[in-house]
Amino acid sequence: MKVKKYTAQNLPEAMKLVRADLGSGAVILNTREVQVGGFFGFFTKKNVEIFAGLDQDVDYHPTKNTNKNIVKEKQAVFQDEELTKEIRQLKNMVHSLTVQSKSADDAALFIKEWENFLLSQEVDLTIIEELIPSLSNKYESLDEMERDSYDWNTWISSYLSARMAKSEFGGFHYETKFLNLIGPTGVGKTTTIAKIGAKAVLKDGKKVAFITTDTYRIAAIDQLKTYAEILNIPCEVAYTADDFKKAKEKFEDYDLVLVDSAGRNFLNRFYIEELQRIIHFDKDMKNYLVLSLTSKYRDMETIYSQFKSLPVHKVIFTKKDETTTYGSLLNLAILNSVPIGYVTNGQNVPDDMFEADADELVQALVKEKLLHA
């Protein structure tokens, strides 16, 4: 028997090739679907592959011999039955493969949608690449109906919250007397100090004082003094290290002393050293680094790295109300295990500030997907 293989895009085309080459006497030996092309398993094409044979010892051309014609007719009926059976099997196979292909396409689109959203939120690619396999496995574990009704926002939130577990969250609880706010210019340190001070005085009934070393901007001194007058608390200006030491001694019996340091370009190491010369960074002082959520993540990471030598005990993120992108916050918490104390979301003192909570911060990010769906 002469056996040949034929490959085409679908079964009808493959059968045409068989008939054209071997004639009506061809016998279908085997059929199957094969995947060709593609990249890493995606975007492959489905072809049909048929193995057909022709018995060269049998005369398939019409003759006047009746017995031969009868044999030929019986063979044709048998071949038709076999072909019908093969076609039915192929249809079932094609349907199954079509369902599988649709599922793979749906999964790829679903994963890509979340990937694009997280990238738009400026979540670091390292975090996204760790999340995607888990998200894909979860998707594949559900059937089509379950996928449609599943709460994917909660799943993503839970995953990211768990990744943030190494970071410490929560505000200042009077564990030390001196709280020093440091950070670059324009991030809202003075207003944040006023919010913490107002909460301590008005809500917690604490005895509070202010010290400012921001002598580069007269407006900053005036602003802090105005807040001090409103809260009826003292405020000292420290121009030198001796001034700062005297101010600390003056407020020795206070519950909380908040220090407003100069806002400068802290990408320059010189300003960190200058800050260290004026302020006594001892065990009685906690340092909270203030960063704006409107800043780029790489800049935040560089500033945090500059300040780590002080050290930084917690980070305060400001201006949440001025952005809809929260990836930088997640990046610092997950990739650098940065402890986060507070998040501010407006100018109102002391209301527009809340203690940081991993679940709430992640939900704020995921909520943006719902708002722009």
Side-chain angles (χ1 to χ4, degrees):
M1 175 178 285
K2 179 182 179 182
V3 178
K4 296 183 69 176
K5 179 177 72 175
Y6 301 87
T7 303
Q9 291 183 351
N10 52 53
L11 182 61
E13 290 186 10
M15 293 301 298
K16 286 181 182 179
L17 293 176
V18 173
R19 288 193 180 96
D21 190 26
L22 300 181
S24 60
V27 177
I28 304 300
L29 302 176
N30 186 36
T31 61
R32 65 173 182 173
E33 281 210 352
V34 294
Q35 301 285 339
V36 297
F39 180 73
F40 288 115
F42 290 97
F43 308 113
T44 57
K45 295 181 179 178
K46 298 185 290 293
N47 280 355
V48 175
E49 189 176 84
I50 293 180
F51 287 89
L54 182 65
D55 192 343
Q56 295 174 326
D57 295 330
V58 178
D59 183 6
Y60 290 97
H61 296 285
T63 64
K64 294 181 180 179
N65 189 312
T66 303
N67 290 333
K68 286 186 178 182
N69 287 340
I70 293 173
V71 171
K72 181 179 178 181
E73 289 174 0
K74 289 182 178 180
Q75 288 177 336
V77 170
F78 175 76
Q79 290 172 9
D80 286 343
E81 290 176 349
E82 287 296 305
L83 180 58
T84 300
K85 181 180 178 181
E86 292 285 351
I87 290 175
R88 188 181 301 111
Q89 292 175 344
L90 277 174
K91 283 182 176 179
N92 292 335
M93 185 186 300
V94 168
H95 175 72
S96 176
L97 290 172
T98 300
V99 171
Q100 293 176 16
S101 177
K102 181 180 182 300
S103 177
D105 291 343
D106 290 345
L109 290 172
F110 174 80
I111 296 299
K112 192 64 179 177
E113 180 182 346
W114 272 105
E115 182 180 353
N116 288 339
F117 167 72
L118 293 172
L119 286 172
S120 73
Q121 281 288 312
E122 299 180 10
V123 175
D124 193 90
L125 189 59
T126 301
I127 299 173
I128 297 175
E129 289 176 343
E130 291 174 355
L131 180 150
I132 292 303
S134 297
L135 180 61
S136 179
N137 289 338
K138 183 62 180 178
Y139 184 90
E140 293 295 340
S141 71
L142 304 176
D143 60 34
E144 187 173 355
M145 185 176 297
E146 290 172 326
R147 292 167 185 167
D148 291 340
S149 61
Y150 196 76
D151 189 350
W152 293 106
N153 293 328
T154 297
W155 189 94
I156 294 288
S157 296
S158 298
Y159 178 92
L160 294 175
S161 294
R163 292 287 283 109
M164 295 173 75
K166 291 183 180 180
S167 296
E168 180 185 351
F169 292 86
F172 183 79
H173 296 133
Y174 309 102
E175 58 269 27
T176 57
K177 181 177 295 186
F178 294 92
L179 179 58
N180 179 37
L181 268 64
I182 54 181
T185 184
V187 295
K189 289 192 304 301
T190 304
T191 303
T192 303
I193 280 182
K195 291 176 181 179
I196 296 174
K199 176 184 179 296
V201 172
L202 303 176
K203 296 183 179 181
D204 299 336
K206 300 295 184 180
K207 189 177 180 181
V208 180
F210 290 157
I211 300 175
T212 178
T213 65
D214 191 358
T215 58
Y216 298 96
R217 296 184 303 127
I218 300 300
I221 297 175
D222 292 341
Q223 183 183 9
L224 192 63
K225 284 185 174 180
T226 299
Y227 285 132
E229 290 175 4
I230 293 172
L231 295 172
N232 193 28
I233 62 177
C235 179
E236 290 290 323
V237 180
Y239 293 92
T240 65
D242 286 339
D243 291 341
F244 186 79
K245 182 179 179 181
K246 290 175 182 178
K248 281 186 67 177
E249 292 172 351
K250 181 178 180 179
F251 299 136
E252 189 173 0
D253 62 340
Y254 279 66
D255 298 316
L256 175 63
V257 179
L258 293 161
V259 182
D260 187 11
S261 63
R264 304 293 294 277
N265 178 10
F266 288 104
L267 294 177
N268 188 334
R269 181 66 193 174
F270 167 78
Y271 297 120
I272 305 292
E273 295 169 355
E274 183 182 42
L275 186 65
Q276 289 173 317
R277 283 195 297 270
I278 297 176
I279 299 177
H280 304 281
F281 293 95
D282 52 34
K283 62 181 181 180
D284 294 328
M285 180 176 291
K286 293 291 185 181
N287 303 306
Y288 280 22
L289 175 62
V290 183
L291 297 172
S292 170
L293 282 171
T294 60
S295 302
K296 293 183 292 186
Y297 166 61
R298 297 304 173 195
D299 291 339
M300 289 186 189
E301 190 177 39
T302 301
I303 293 169
Y304 177 75
S305 179
Q306 289 276 51
F307 275 101
K308 278 198 302 186
S309 61
L310 291 180
V312 173
H313 296 99
K314 285 187 180 180
V315 170
I316 297 176
F317 287 100
T318 62
K319 304 186 179 183
K320 179 179 179 293
D321 56 312
E322 297 182 22
T323 184
T324 57
T325 304
Y326 308 114
S328 55
L329 189 155
L330 266 69
N331 297 339
L332 278 176
I334 294 174
L335 300 180
N336 298 280
S337 300
V338 172
I340 303 174
Y342 295 99
V343 177
T344 73
N345 58 345
Q347 295 296 313
N348 294 323
V349 177
D351 298 326
D352 293 340
M353 181 178 71
F354 58 91
E355 290 193 35
D357 177 83
D359 292 337
E360 290 182 5
L361 295 174
V362 170
Q363 287 168 14
L365 181 147
V366 175
K367 183 179 179 182
E368 290 299 316
K369 188 172 189 297
L370 295 174
L371 293 176
H372 298 90

